[in-house]
Amino acid sequence: VGWMSLKHPGFQANVTDTTGAGDAFTAAFISSLLEEDTSIPDALMLANASGAIVTTQMGTIAALPDREAIQTLVQSQDSEKY
């Protein structure tokens, strides 16, 4: 088993507070891999979207997105451009 290095551009967000962005990223990444048949690149994209969403509100818990909010952001931004 070898190492894999991946990059995915971030999503645009109107940043208000960065608290919890890393936690949201990690939770979405792991959740994506565990709950469904998601590829690692797709899990990375969903995690980036989750982290971006959290930064748009003050606080952490209230800002944590659900799957629908993550999918909405992914579909609204052509992430390949970033």
Side-chain angles (χ1 to χ4, degrees):
V1 176
W3 287 92
M4 181 185 303
S5 176
L6 296 174
K7 292 181 183 180
H8 189 279
F11 289 88
Q12 292 180 346
N14 294 321
V15 178
T16 300
D17 181 8
T18 60
T19 305
D23 296 322
F25 174 94
T26 302
F29 186 76
I30 292 170
S31 176
S32 295
L33 292 176
L34 292 177
E35 290 183 5
E36 53 193 70
D37 187 25
T38 304
S39 68
I40 292 174
D42 284 347
L44 178 59
M45 177 182 59
L46 296 170
N48 276 346
S50 181
I53 291 168
V54 168
T55 68
T56 64
Q57 297 182 44
M58 289 298 293
T60 303
I61 300 301
L64 288 173
D66 59 13
R67 176 65 74 170
E68 184 178 339
I70 294 169
Q71 291 292 348
T72 298
L73 178 59
V74 168
Q75 292 171 1
S76 71
Q77 292 190 25
D78 181 8
S79 62
E80 297 298 322
K81 292 181 181 177
Y82 304 111

